[in-house]
Amino acid sequence: MIKLENITLRYGDKLVLDRFSLEIPAQGLTALSGPSGCGKTTLLRVMAGLAAPAGGAVSGIDPARTAFLFQEDRLLPWRTAAQHIADVLPRSRRGETAKWLAFAELEGEGDACPAALSGGMARRLALARCAALGGEALLLDEPFAGVDGDRAARMLERLRGLDVPVVLATHQPQVLSACDRMIALDGPPLREARG
């Protein structure tokens, strides 16, 4: 179980998390849903150890063993799709590059640089790189932005097959319905939405 207990975090004068608590099962796909700006990204960043709360505690997740997908693709323009994958793999796993390109349905695009990819293809590459990096949990911020619903559903099944907890923030109804559970949020400050 991933537990956030009484987390408080501010950005300047803006109170984003105010003694916020939440429990997330340490298995399957958990979707965080809520309006833009409610605090979903901040919550993921706290879980990943990328934002330090002023108070509270996080347990059941080790940031050093967690892969994080940012809202931005963060692809290097001079690296090919295959190089982006190989860059996160240890030498002993470099032979897996084609597997991870297939994970993102990017077969045949290994030599393409980001400028030659569509927005959806670039997003899938960023997600494949995150999944290839792996770890004990995946935290994904809007992982399917620009990706069509059918392809997103297939990729969700592949994520489920990795057998690690996946927590993702999304607005996409088709993605929400394909996850094992959905946590509706509102804010700021962030809170679970009721009814």
Side-chain angles (χ1 to χ4, degrees), residues 38-146:
C38 73
K40 299 182 303 295
T41 294
T42 299
L43 183 62
L44 288 175
R45 291 177 62 83
V46 167
M47 291 168 62
L50 299 173
V58 179
S59 60
I61 189 167
D62 180 355
R65 298 178 189 276
T66 299
F68 191 92
L69 177 69
F70 293 90
Q71 279 187 14
E72 312 82 25
D73 297 328
R74 299 191 177 195
L75 300 175
L76 303 173
W78 58 87
R79 303 293 284 166
T80 66
Q83 289 169 333
H84 275 92
I85 301 295
D87 288 345
V88 301
L89 295 173
R91 285 189 199 281
S92 63
R93 293 180 51 212
R94 292 276 166 86
E96 296 179 18
T97 301
K99 166 189 156 181
W100 292 106
L101 290 172
F103 175 94
E105 300 185 9
L106 290 171
E107 300 94 328
E109 300 295 340
D111 293 332
C113 286
L117 302 175
S118 71
M121 293 167 81
R123 191 65 185 150
R124 291 174 2 234
L125 174 58
L127 177 54
R129 179 181 59 186
C130 178
L133 175 63
E136 296 174 0
L138 299 179
L139 303 176
L140 313 175
D141 200 353
E142 297 291 351
F144 299 107

Side-chain angles (χ1 to χ4, degrees), residues 4-15:
L4 298 102
E5 300 175 274
N6 296 313
I7 302 293
T8 298
L9 188 141
R10 293 181 175 275
Y11 290 124
D13 292 335
K14 185 174 186 176
L15 184 62

Side-chain angles (χ1 to χ4, degrees), residues 29 171 179:
L29 305 176
H171 293 101
C179 289

